[in-house]
Amino acid sequence: MNTWLVCASLLLVAGFLPVVWGTVRGPLGHRVMAQNCGTSVVCLVMLLLAQGYGRPSYTDLALVTAVLGPVGTLVFARLLADELDEAPRWARAVTALTVAATAPVVIASCVATGPGRAAAKVVFIGVLLAAGNVIASRTLSGAHRDATETRYG
């Protein structure tokens, strides 16, 4: 077992405990935010596993997750806008933590792959993941406001 796999295991455990807790308990807005955080954790774990096992194909899985994870959150926010009880108070903290966790994983993966197309792909995945989380977090807050204005406005 190498350092990449140890980091992937630690991130998986440390990342999925709050995700499972947020998904199982709490109102709908918290569950959707936990789902978004879960896809981010999976994406980062895939990047670490790609280096740990020496399999660049795992990077493709991380790319797909980085694209579809925030899109899934946006779909949930759109379809469930009327049922979102309240915007998660901790959404900004989770988004900041996800972006903060993305940077070291992407930088370490870029250093390990060396200059070239693979490093550019990893940087692209990191940008997609960070931007997608920020957009999804803001959308969840906006979906709550729109639903509240529709009901009471």
Side-chain angles (χ1 to χ4, degrees):
M1 182 170 257
N2 58 26
T3 307
W4 296 102
L5 298 178
V6 170
C7 290
S9 300
L10 290 175
L11 181 62
L12 195 61
V13 170
F16 264 112
L17 287 177
V19 167
V20 169
W21 182 259
T23 304
V24 172
R25 304 185 53 93
L28 185 61
H30 293 189
R31 293 180 193 168
V32 174
M33 194 64 202
Q35 174 265 334
N36 187 45
C37 182
T39 57
S40 301
V41 169
V42 167
C43 183
L44 294 175
V45 167
M46 283 296 158
L47 286 175
L48 291 170
L49 290 177
Q51 294 301 321
Y53 289 126
R55 302 215 175 204
S57 60
Y58 289 178
T59 307
D60 295 336
L61 293 173
L63 177 62
V64 170
T65 306
V67 171
L68 294 180
V71 169
T73 304
L74 295 175
V75 168
F76 280 132
R78 175 71 175 129
L79 294 176
L80 303 173
D82 294 336
E83 290 141 19
L84 289 174
D85 298 337
E86 65 180 46
R89 290 172 283 173
W90 42 267
R92 287 186 182 171
V94 168
T95 302
L97 186 63
T98 303
V99 172
T102 302
V105 171
V106 168
I107 291 169
S109 295
C110 285
V111 169
T113 58
R117 290 179 59 196
K121 185 194 266 187
V122 171
V123 169
F124 182 66
I125 291 169
V127 169
L128 275 176
L129 188 61
N133 278 312
V134 169
I135 291 169
S137 171
R138 290 185 181 262
T139 301
L140 282 174
S141 299
H144 170 258
R145 276 184 295 213
D146 291 344
T148 305
E149 290 172 5
T150 304
R151 278 189 235 149
Y152 304 112

